[in-house]
Amino acid sequence: VDRCFEFTGSNAGPWRVLDVRSIIGDAIASAPALAIAPAGLSSPRAPGAWSLRGVISNIRYAAAVERDTLTARQAGLGRSEALCAALIPIRKNPAWWALAQDERRAIMEEQSHHITIGLDYLPAVARKLYHCRDIGEPFDFLTWFEFAPEHAGHFDDLLVRLRASHEWSYVDREVEMRLERAG
Ligand code: HEM
């Protein structure tokens, strides 16, 4: 699948790992650097301290008007000024996965305002969502963010707001990794 990517923590890679910490549940091993590369779903893992895979998928919850607002406002990855990044793998609990699509959407947006809050941080924060629940990975999602150093404080604020939401009461494992572009 050309939409499958592998995040590998090892000694080499274009991102230097500054910090890894558990927000809830088990952390993952620390490694000095991170690389992101296309991967086959059943190809051998790249060598390293750890590797996580995720697939780029279609949207599930955003409504058409939200999708259009996001598209109009968002920046792409790889901007030269975006020297900071965060990798945040997340797993949600069985109660979340037992809900119907409309119930999950209502929690995410009408109750928790995930998209409305997130839009406040665009285009400063560029984002990419990878899905991994259905490919047998330890997390359900890999979330990736890039921003300039002067927006790091705003990104911290965004995390505080989202983690205080009702949606996050369904998160049972979350690891936060902070990175900077190497050399
Ligand atoms: C930068 C601003 C952000 C915006 C604009 C944003 C927007 C969105 C949107 C539109 C979706 C739904 C995609 C769909 O329809 O399937 C989504 C999903 C998600 N976002 Fe964010 N988000 C932001 C920040 C974050 C942050 C900081 C985190 C993690 C700490 C995060 C974690 C997630 C996760 C885990 C999902 C998948 C949820 C699920 O499918 O159950 N987002 N985000």
Side-chain angles (χ1 to χ4, degrees):
V1 192
D2 60 0
R3 296 199 216 126
C4 182
F5 289 83
E6 186 169 68
F7 292 70
T8 305
S10 75
N11 291 322
W15 294 96
R16 189 166 23 249
V17 178
L18 303 175
D19 187 50
V20 184
R21 62 195 185 100
S22 159
I23 304 303
I24 182 169
D26 291 339
I28 53 183
S30 194
L34 169 79
I36 308 167
L41 272 176
S42 52
S43 58
R45 302 264 167 179
W50 55 267
S51 79
L52 293 170
R53 284 179 178 174
V55 175
I56 297 170
S57 187
N58 53 278
I59 57 171
R60 266 74 164 156
Y61 303 108
V65 62
E66 293 162 341
R67 175 202 60 200
D68 294 346
T69 309
L70 287 159
T71 304
R73 213 176 289 183
Q74 72 198 4
L77 300 180
R79 292 169 296 172
S80 58
E81 69 272 22
L83 301 173
C84 301
L87 172 65
I88 306 182
I90 289 179
R91 188 181 70 196
K92 287 180 168 173
N93 67 20
W96 173 264
W97 294 110
L99 296 170
Q101 178 85 6
D102 58 336
E103 294 172 315
R104 294 195 299 261
R105 153 74 200 187
I107 292 167
M108 171 181 252
E109 189 54 23
E110 280 70 28
Q111 293 185 46
S112 304
H113 313 293
H114 183 130
I115 300 171
T116 304
I117 290 171
L119 280 167
D120 285 348
Y121 300 86
L122 269 47
V125 178
R127 50 181 270 276
K128 189 117 196 144
L129 174 64
Y130 300 82
H131 285 261
C132 34
R133 173 173 163 82
D134 294 336
I135 58 170
E137 289 282 311
F139 293 92
D140 295 334
F141 312 98
L142 305 176
T143 66
W144 175 259
F145 307 93
E146 293 179 8
F147 44 91
E150 60 264 35
H151 293 126
H154 293 125
F155 185 71
D156 292 338
D157 295 343
L158 166 62
L159 293 178
V160 169
R161 291 174 73 186
L162 288 177
R163 287 176 183 152
S165 71
H166 182 48
E167 181 190 352
W168 249 254
S169 69
Y170 293 91
V171 172
D172 70 4
R173 191 173 176 200
E174 178 174 6
V175 176
E176 181 178 322
M177 187 177 302
R178 296 300 192 102
L179 312 101
E180 68 181 10
R181 221 181 270 279

